[in-house]
Amino acid sequence: MLWKWYKDDPQVCHYIFGTMHTASENAYKFVALAEKYIVSSALYAAEMDLHAATGSDLTSHFRLEDGNDLASLYKPKHYTKMRKVILKSFGIDINGYKDFSPFFITNMLAGLCAKPVRPEALDHHLWKFALEAGKELAGLESMEDQISILGRIPMDFQVRSLRSAADNISSFRKKINTLDDQYGRGDVKGLYFGARSSLGVIRQLMTTERN
């Protein structure tokens, strides 16, 4: 999951390392390799400046607006069923997250599917490692960029995605675990097509316009 490239000066090498926003065993499979090259680099740039994210209430941008709550986005029978299934499958009562967007909850469930074995996601671990190694730190995207992207994810897509996950938990788990396994095997092509197909109407926003 590591690439080397040169921009202008052939004596200056840059590295790109693909991370997972999870804390699974597969996510950490290449962590020693990443740390090795962080130590030999002058600057570490994550997807975003995690200092800025830590210093602000990032979760506030995942909250629903205009007095809405999660239950109001679904028919009562659909919400009741979804709550029951998620509670049984993950031990999470979504009533405790009624102020949060469906996108936030779907991503939280995805993180649980990937069987966390570490206290923090890989990208957070590497940021702390680089900080402790005394490296200059930067973010490829700003907090404002990330917040703008969140605001452009259509609510109807978020609503459908969460309900689809709850309607077929086994399929949802399988998709997440397949991506997790592909990362662990270094299957970049499989990861690309698997992640791309799951994005639906936000594919252009999350890939073409960002990466």
Side-chain angles (χ1 to χ4, degrees), residues 85-96:
V85 169
I86 292 174
L87 181 60
K88 180 180 179 181
S89 302
F90 297 97
I92 299 290
D93 186 350
I94 58 175
N95 269 358

Side-chain angles (χ1 to χ4, degrees), residues 2 13-14 17 24 29-30 46 68 80 104 112 125-126 134 166 179-180 194 208 210:
L2 180 73
C13 180
H14 306 267
F17 181 72
S24 71
K29 188 163 186 179
F30 305 105
N68 290 322
T80 299
F104 176 86
L112 294 173
H125 169 82
L126 292 178
L179 292 172
D180 185 62
T208 309
R210 294 182 64 206

